[in-house]
Amino acid sequence: MIVKQRKIPLTILKLQALLRRLPSNHIKVPIITEDLKKRMAGYKGECSLDYQFSFLDTKHFFILHDLRLPDDNRYFQMDSVLLSRKMCLIIEVKNIAGSLLFDPVFKQLIRTKDGKEMAFSDPITQAERHEAQLKTWFQNNRLPQIPICSLVVISNPQSIIRSTTQNHLIRRKVIHLDILANKIEEIENSNSHPVLEEKEIKKITRHFLKQHTELDPSIGETYNISKEEFVKGVICPNCNHPSMIKKHGASWYCPKCSLISQNAHLPAIRDYQLLIGNTIANSQLRDFLQIHSSAAATRIFQTLMFKYTGTRKNRVYTISSLDNFEFHFKQKS
């Protein structure tokens, strides 16, 4: 069964919001666009595991996606973790196209594509480090000891896996996506005796979920961009015009394509949350949405039923309920 579902990483959502809220000619746009492209490729690679997982017996395997656990004063994140009565398997996914040469001497991955070589950090070393960190995490939390192993999954079906030598570690650790389910069953069957009871598995998964902490970067600080550089206003979901006009009542009007929308302000508030923070005052909402009426801003808060602290002019609201809305963004041309 899937204990922790996969969802779009917060970093990707923040990068998407950042691109929506920067002028198209901003000097950082090319860098941010490339970073988003890489992260989206990684996320799509992780999603490609789901089909293979569907072949597993859901009664025997407990699956957690994007698990990020503490390790002293730092964290380590695993793409997927499978837990059974016999073992704990860490899966690291790499969505890299081309001819992939695993160099065990210099501990690097060399990708050759279109006649060009590029070096990447060694995913086997990363997976083995996560094994060691997870074993320590089990010990620190006084959890039952269980065999912990790892796999590196190449999700691009056209990639060619190579090695500088007849390295048995690479042959054992690195696989193509299409044999993942079979490989998991093979590893499971190689451990002959169960070491965990069902109640112990539930205890471990509770600890996983309790200690998981999602990576939440300050995206402005990451790229040295101040909030004064953001494009303000309610963006039209049809034509991307950045300055929809607030009409009487709850509607928004686009002066460019004449769209009328009741909820066009919701993605804007979500952008504020992603880029600036979870708390917002009436004056900050008016500034970001580019509306002049304090009463109109108050009505928006009342409609969304945000929790707040303070009274009247000192009232500060907590943005907490927007995940229930489905946002649609028109891709910029």
Side-chain angles (χ1 to χ4, degrees), residues 29-257:
V29 165
I31 299 173
I32 298 167
T33 301
E34 183 62 24
D35 287 350
L36 176 59
K37 180 181 177 182
K38 292 177 181 177
R39 290 188 178 275
M40 282 301 299
Y43 175 64
K44 289 178 180 178
E46 293 173 24
C47 291
S48 66
L49 297 179
D50 297 342
Y51 178 70
Q52 289 291 318
F53 287 152
S54 69
F55 291 101
L56 300 177
D57 188 340
T58 56
K59 295 180 181 179
H60 294 162
F61 294 98
F62 296 77
I63 304 172
L64 300 97
H65 297 302
D66 299 322
L67 188 62
R68 186 170 179 263
L69 300 175
D71 177 26
D72 291 331
N73 59 346
R74 56 183 181 268
Y75 289 85
F76 64 105
Q77 183 162 347
M78 299 161 287
D79 293 336
S80 292
V81 174
L82 275 74
L83 184 65
S84 74
R85 294 185 62 194
K86 294 182 177 181
M87 59 127 183
C88 183
L89 175 64
I90 301 169
I91 297 178
E92 302 294 340
V93 187
K94 299 299 175 185
N95 187 11
I96 306 175
S99 178
L100 309 181
L101 176 65
F102 286 81
D103 182 357
V105 178
F106 295 101
K107 301 292 184 182
Q108 61 181 342
L109 171 62
I110 302 172
R111 190 269 299 275
T112 303
K113 184 182 179 185
D114 300 328
K116 297 181 180 179
E117 287 188 342
M118 179 179 291
F120 295 82
S121 58
D122 181 22
I124 298 177
T125 301
Q126 177 190 21
E128 290 179 333
R129 181 172 62 250
H130 287 167
E131 284 185 39
Q133 289 175 300
L134 189 55
K135 288 177 182 177
T136 301
W137 182 86
F138 268 77
Q139 293 170 357
N140 292 341
N141 286 276
R142 296 184 176 87
L143 295 171
Q145 295 303 296
I146 184 173
I148 297 176
C149 52
S150 62
L151 283 176
V152 175
V153 177
I154 306 301
S155 61
N156 192 308
Q158 297 179 339
S159 296
I160 301 172
I161 302 173
R162 302 183 186 277
S163 175
T164 55
T165 62
Q166 293 295 323
N167 191 290
H168 295 292
L169 177 63
I170 294 174
R171 294 172 64 180
R172 190 175 73 250
K173 286 278 190 181
V174 183
I175 63 170
H176 269 299
L177 174 64
D178 58 356
I179 66 168
L180 175 59
N182 291 338
K183 187 66 174 180
I184 292 173
E185 294 288 358
E186 176 187 319
I187 296 173
E188 172 78 355
N189 293 332
S190 68
N191 294 285
S192 56
H193 300 293
V195 294
L196 294 178
E197 298 293 336
E198 185 175 344
K199 64 178 182 181
E200 293 176 313
I201 290 181
K202 292 181 179 179
K203 179 180 179 181
I204 292 170
T205 56
R206 284 198 302 269
H207 274 72
F208 277 150
L209 295 175
K210 182 179 180 180
Q211 296 196 24
H212 166 74
T213 305
E214 185 173 9
L215 179 64
D216 187 8
S218 173
I219 208 71
E221 292 180 4
T222 300
Y223 293 95
N224 194 25
I225 296 173
S226 67
K227 61 183 179 181
E228 286 74 23
E229 298 177 70
F230 298 150
V231 175
K232 298 176 183 178
V234 174
I235 299 174
C236 176
N238 182 56
C239 70
N240 286 323
H241 183 67
S243 303
M244 295 188 79
I245 299 171
K246 186 75 171 67
K247 292 292 186 179
H248 293 294
S251 63
W252 296 84
Y253 170 75
C254 178
K256 184 177 180 181
C257 71

